[in-house]
Amino acid sequence: MSASQTSDVPTLLVKIFGKDRPGITAGLFDTLAAYSVDVIDIEQLVTRGRIVLCALVTQPGNGAEGGLRATVHSWAESLKLQAEILSGTGDNRPRGSGRSHVTVLGHPLTAEATAAVAARITATGGNIDRIFRLAKYPVTAVEFAVSGTATERLRTVLATAASHIGVDVAVVSAGLHRRAQRLVVMDVDSTMIQDEVIELFAAHAGCEAEVAEVTERAMRGELDFEQSLHARVALLAGLDASVVDKVRSEVRLTPGARTLIRTLKQLGYQVGVVSGGFTQVTDDLQERLGLDFASANTLEIVDGKLTGRVTGEIVDRAGKARLLRRFAAEAGVPLSQTVAIGDGANDLDMLNAAGLGVAFNAKPVVREAAHTAVNVPFLDAVLYLLGITREEVEAAGLA
């Protein structure tokens, strides 16, 4: 029966709630089947062992509504459940135009924060059609299905408010594209790994503090990245090339990085990295983690020594965005279906070029400019922004 066919049809909303147990859904519809009603809609939710089951059905003919009501109440009482039956006309009201998924991450997720998110959705003219939990640890992640307001307006309002509310919020438009194949491209230093690779090299050269200060200023956007890169690399001149293997062994993956990559690959996504660091490390990461794409700067090595220079095309702020577009073209994925993740100012062009730009534990200038921010120390939390639940990750044995 189509929506137009049910618009004027008398209907009953049957609500069952109480302690969950096997067979409740089958039992309700067995009871309703005796009255030859048609099912228009069903919703069921179980929370901490309590079930709420709603069935929207056509009103039975031949004056049988009274019998149906009595039978349903009797069946419910026999199972120590409560029943409520409401008369009405037609189906649910049509959802408003403009549909979005709003993902909220909290560590923890407080009632105050949830109220603030819901209030801001309402303030944009949006209606919350459905809410469900994506994950309960290591963060609490819930998703709101929202209609009636434009995705970009909703994103702007919630992104502005998120830091004040104390949660991370991502807003993406609803539709089939959310289930399509995607390309995910990550920054490396302080994003996919916990370290700044150039600082690992600098530690072996005895100039770590000096390099770290320049790195921090560059990531805040206070220095031109290319100039700062050349200045820092120059301090490494004379290091023995054997230090490369030592640095590779010192690199620490960010918690959740391996789970994120394995899950995305299991889903058929393509995954790449772009780095202002060095191919001497990213090539190793690409091989170990099965990445589809990797690009970075290359330290020049002559006669077994680092020369203090880099060779080839510089991967800077503009270069990262250019590489995102190149990877997307090679992967056959529209730019709108790409996800970029980064933490520094040199990631901003890439984050803004992607369909979804995620600032991961990022500097303030990056958080303010990105589509969304994740401020928990678990990289696999990005999966929840894509609508992937923790249960799905664990069921696949990927956690």
Side-chain angles (χ1 to χ4, degrees):
M1 194 177 293
S2 68
S4 61
Q5 291 174 314
T6 60
S7 59
D8 297 322
V9 172
T11 54
L12 299 176
L13 175 61
V14 181
K15 298 172 63 179
I16 304 296
F17 40 97
K19 184 177 180 181
D20 188 33
R21 71 198 75 181
I24 290 177
T25 305
L28 173 62
F29 286 97
D30 276 343
T31 302
L32 294 173
Y35 295 88
S36 301
V37 296
D38 294 334
V39 178
I40 297 173
D41 196 5
I42 309 171
E43 288 276 355
Q44 179 172 307
L45 175 68
V46 177
T47 304
R48 212 179 68 176
R50 309 293 292 183
I51 187 172
V52 178
L53 171 60
C54 296
L56 184 64
V57 299
T58 54
Q59 188 181 74
N62 301 319
E65 180 181 336
L68 181 148
R69 287 175 175 270
T71 303
V72 169
H73 280 288
S74 176
W75 167 80
E77 289 172 6
S78 72
L79 294 177
K80 298 182 178 179
L81 299 169
Q82 293 178 279
E84 181 180 12
I85 303 174
L86 304 174
S87 299
T89 302
D91 198 349
N92 306 309
R93 66 178 184 180
R95 292 179 182 176
S97 60
R99 298 183 187 178
S100 307
H101 297 287
V102 177
T103 306
V104 180
L105 308 181
H107 190 55
L109 179 61
T110 66
E112 181 181 10
T114 306
V117 170
R120 282 164 173 78
I121 291 172
T122 301
T124 68
N127 184 70
I128 300 170
D129 300 318
R130 185 174 300 171
I131 308 172
F132 64 95
R133 187 176 68 186
L134 293 166
K136 60 182 178 181
Y137 71 91
V139 299
T140 301
V142 295
E143 182 172 289
F144 295 72
V146 177
S147 63
T149 188
T151 298
E152 287 302 321
R153 170 166 165 69
L154 192 59
R155 177 183 287 167
T156 299
V157 169
L158 290 176
T160 302
S163 60
H164 303 294
I165 296 172
V167 294
D168 298 330
V169 183
V171 182
V172 298
S173 60
L176 289 175
H177 67 275
R178 200 179 189 209
R179 298 180 178 87
Q181 185 189 54
R182 289 193 179 192
L183 167 69
V184 178
V185 176
M186 287 176 273
D187 171 48
V188 176
D189 294 11
S190 299
T191 299
M192 194 177 81
I193 67 173
Q194 300 177 58
D195 314 281
E196 290 287 335
V197 169
I198 195 165
E199 293 176 15
L200 297 179
F201 277 102
H204 292 280
C207 57
E208 183 178 10
E210 186 176 352
V211 165
E213 181 183 357
V214 177
T215 299
E216 182 66 20
R217 293 181 64 193
M219 291 304 99
R220 291 198 301 263
E222 297 173 4
L223 296 176
D224 174 79
F225 178 81
E226 184 172 350
Q227 290 179 339
S228 72
L229 175 68
H230 289 304
R232 289 174 291 167
V233 171
L235 297 171
L236 307 181
L239 270 180
D240 192 275
S242 63
V243 78
V244 169
D245 288 333
K246 295 177 183 177
V247 167
R248 286 175 174 175
S249 68
E250 292 166 353
V251 166
R252 302 166 299 162
L253 290 176
T254 297
R258 195 179 298 274
T259 297
L260 172 66
I261 294 166
R262 290 173 62 190
T263 303
L264 293 172
K265 296 291 292 179
Q266 182 85 359
L267 292 169
Y269 288 25
Q270 298 188 61
V271 184
V273 293
V274 291
S275 176
F278 311 110
T279 56
Q280 282 82 359
V281 170
T282 58
D283 287 351
D284 179 63
L285 290 171
Q286 181 177 18
E287 182 177 352
R288 285 199 288 130
L289 299 173
L291 302 173
D292 299 285
F293 304 98
S295 188
N297 300 301
T298 299
L299 291 169
E300 183 181 63
I301 298 176
V302 176
D303 296 329
K305 302 286 185 180
L306 273 65
T307 66
R309 296 186 295 269
V310 291
T311 63
E313 182 182 12
I314 297 296
V315 179
D316 57 6
R317 175 169 170 167
K320 287 189 173 186
R322 185 169 58 250
L323 286 163
L324 171 69
R325 294 186 176 92
R326 183 190 304 171
F327 293 167
E330 293 177 12
V333 174
L335 203 59
S336 60
Q337 288 298 107
T338 61
V339 179
I341 310 168
D343 74 299
N346 66 326
D347 296 313
L348 275 172
D349 289 3
M350 175 177 73
L351 298 182
N352 290 327
L356 177 64
V358 181
F360 180 73
N361 292 308
K363 312 301 182 288
V365 66
V366 183
R367 289 200 303 269
E368 292 168 7
H371 296 142
T372 188
V374 171
N375 295 301
V376 295
F378 314 106
L379 194 56
D380 54 343
V382 173
L383 292 170
Y384 311 139
L385 308 185
L386 305 178
I388 300 165
T389 68
R390 185 71 185 179
E391 288 78 7
E392 289 171 328
V393 174
E394 292 177 347
L398 299 170

